[in-house]
Amino acid sequence: AKNQGRNNCQFYSAGLSRTVYENLMLESALRNAEERGELSLHYQPQFDLTTGRLIGAEALVRWLHPELGSISPAQFIALAEESGQIVKLGEWVVRNTCRQIKQWLNQGLKLERVSVNVSALQIQRGNFADSVGQILRETGLAANFLELEVTESFIIEAEQSFAILDALRQMGVELAIDDFGTSYSSLKYLKRLPIQRLKIDRSFVQDIPNDLNSNAIARAVIAMARSLQLETVAEGIENSQQRDFLMAEGCQCGQGYFFGKPVPVVEFTQLYLAGL
Ligand code: C2E
Ligand code: CA
Ligand code: CA
Ligand code: CA
């Protein structure tokens, strides 16, 4: 069934843009994905670059459709945003992540935080801060274990949503800016936002240390973050040269295939609880 799924899935990939009909089909399938148990979360570990200690993870949503096979989040998140389903889907991700963190802490896994990706639309529609607060109460998780990643473009588009981020920060939730450096953002905003971290986008990390422009950008982001008293997390670290460069520049935290790919809960627990 999985191979068949792969074949069918070619339909949607390889640069062919999907037709309106295909989009509608996927969108309606996504509506039932949660209750049919087709959604799951993978967790990618994050490490302290200097000590090598596990800091936490990033939760990444997965959709395994029985016929279409695995559909990439890049595809279905965009659809969920267009159709408004992202509010419900995003809430599912936050709730499941909070439950999982709680369970890992109970099992004795030493974690500082686990981050969840949050779409701009999710914050703008519905009452996002209330919903996060409700989930934290319901799961009994201390807010500082949850980190929300908002994209840089959100900051530019949604100045009116700053109050929501303030409310979340007041609760004690950690906030990071994802994909930093990929779109224009003003330093004025950076200072005004109640954030703790910047995530250096993989597009810069991947060409370190051979591409001098990427080196310069990474170095500048880390220096700027430091002067604003923000931590930096580098994403997409795939080799030790990249890790060494980023560590030497003062980046605190890293994530990428060099350390570990996103994996299902069971595997994550086996890999990182065993090391105690
Ligand atoms: P992102 O937030 O930038 O997540 C990082 C992506 O890079 C993930 O892709 C991850 O699997 C991949 N990655 C991590 N390390 C490496 C590496 O060393 N090399 C390479 N080549 N790739 C690496 P993924 O899981 O396909 O997710 C794609 C995007 O979908 C995410 O990008 C995020 O924007 C979005 N996404 C995923 N889960 C959620 C979610 O629950 N909610 C929302 N709103 N968006 C999500
Ligand atoms: Ca992210
Ligand atoms: Ca990212
Ligand atoms: Ca990225």
Side-chain angles (χ1 to χ4, degrees), residues 36-49:
R36 292 186 182 161
E38 295 166 10
L39 297 180
S40 67
L41 291 175
H42 280 194
Y43 293 89
Q44 184 174 34
Q46 295 182 343
F47 293 89
D48 183 310
L49 290 183

Side-chain angles (χ1 to χ4, degrees), residues 41 43 59 92-102 114-116 141 146:
L41 291 175
Y43 293 89
W92 182 87
V93 174
V94 173
R95 177 172 287 106
N96 278 270
T97 302
C98 287
R99 283 187 188 146
Q100 189 54 55
I101 304 171
K102 187 77 185 172
V114 176
S115 61
V116 165
L141 181 74
L146 178 67

Side-chain angles (χ1 to χ4, degrees), residues 10-163:
Q10 285 176 354
F11 207 61
Y12 299 101
S13 59
L16 282 173
S17 64
R18 277 171 281 131
T19 64
V20 173
Y21 173 71
E22 287 159 7
N23 269 337
L24 281 173
M25 243 180 54
L26 266 191
E27 193 191 300
S28 102
L30 183 58
R31 251 171 239 291
N32 306 311
E34 185 203 317
E35 57 223 47
R36 292 186 182 161
E38 295 166 10
L39 297 180
S40 67
L41 291 175
H42 280 194
Y43 293 89
Q44 184 174 34
Q46 295 182 343
F47 293 89
D48 183 310
L49 290 183
T50 324
T51 64
R53 194 171 48 92
L54 180 76
I55 297 278
E58 175 175 3
L60 295 156
V61 69
R62 295 291 178 257
W63 180 18
L64 186 63
H65 187 278
E67 279 114 41
L68 301 173
S70 140
I71 300 158
S72 86
Q75 282 194 359
F76 71 86
I77 294 292
L79 274 184
E81 284 172 343
E82 286 162 27
S83 62
Q85 295 184 64
I86 192 69
V87 175
K88 196 167 155 249
L89 175 66
E91 196 172 306
W92 182 87
V93 174
V94 173
R95 177 172 287 106
N96 278 270
T97 302
C98 287
R99 283 187 188 146
Q100 189 54 55
I101 304 171
K102 187 77 185 172
Q103 193 181 334
W104 275 328
L105 293 172
N106 288 341
Q107 291 172 329
L109 188 63
K110 295 242 175 350
L111 288 171
E112 282 183 26
R113 59 180 178 269
V114 176
S115 61
V116 165
N117 293 286
V118 174
S119 293
L121 275 163
Q122 205 180 331
I123 301 187
Q124 288 162 323
R125 299 196 196 164
N127 28 21
F128 184 64
D130 290 344
S131 137
V132 171
Q134 170 64 34
I135 291 168
L136 289 170
R137 276 191 300 279
E138 168 191 312
T139 55
L141 181 74
N144 61 294
F145 288 108
L146 178 67
E147 177 172 75
L148 302 174
E149 297 187 7
V150 297
T151 60
E152 196 180 19
S153 50
F154 159 79
I155 295 156
I156 305 148
E157 291 160 16
E159 210 184 335
Q160 69 277 17
S161 301
F162 284 12

Side-chain angles (χ1 to χ4, degrees), residues 168-184:
L168 288 161
R169 186 61 198 142
Q170 293 269 303
M171 284 179 203
V173 171
E174 303 273 306
L175 298 169
I177 297 187
D178 202 4
D179 301 339
F180 190 76
T182 54
S183 56
Y184 169 82

